[in-house]
Amino acid sequence: MEMLYYQKKSDVREIQAGHGHGTFPLLNESHGCTGGCCAGISYYASTEYTPVAVHDDQEGFIVLSGKGWAKIGGQEFPVEKDTAFIAPAGTAHQMRTVDPDEPLTLFWFHARP
């Protein structure tokens, strides 16, 4: 069987993470990703920060829509469409929207440092 190097969001089951946060995992090793690389789309519909996340690898983000705030380590900063940012490996990170009617929507990817 030929490997598919793509995935449509409409073909992926949403994972509810709680706290107004959901994610759609799009790419992983079954699509040809290697070295722990994976990617997807997540949304944040709460004005409260999500619980702290920390990963062994780095996670990059690009804001697709909405406005909100991100906390990476000790830095807190506003984010909006076309903003890119990264959470280095082992660094705590959190996100939130400024308007629950317009969730903060992000493309994310993981990669080894």
Side-chain angles (χ1 to χ4, degrees), residues 6-85:
Y6 67 93
Q7 180 77 277
K8 294 180 183 178
K9 181 182 168 198
S10 60
D11 293 335
V12 175
R13 183 183 301 236
E14 176 183 357
I15 298 171
Q16 291 282 330
H19 305 281
H21 173 219
T23 194
F24 297 86
L26 296 175
L27 299 175
N28 58 38
E29 59 278 347
S30 68
H31 303 101
C33 295
T34 62
C37 175
C38 60
I41 294 173
S42 290
Y43 66 87
Y44 302 85
S46 176
T47 57
E48 301 292 321
Y49 275 113
T50 56
V52 171
V54 179
H55 308 293
D56 292 336
D57 58 1
Q58 58 193 340
E59 185 174 13
F61 302 91
I62 299 172
V63 179
L64 301 175
S65 64
K67 293 180 180 180
W69 287 84
K71 252 191 221 182
I72 309 293
Q75 295 182 33
E76 182 177 30
F77 50 93
V79 295
E80 60 185 26
K81 184 177 178 183
D82 298 333
T83 302
F85 56 100

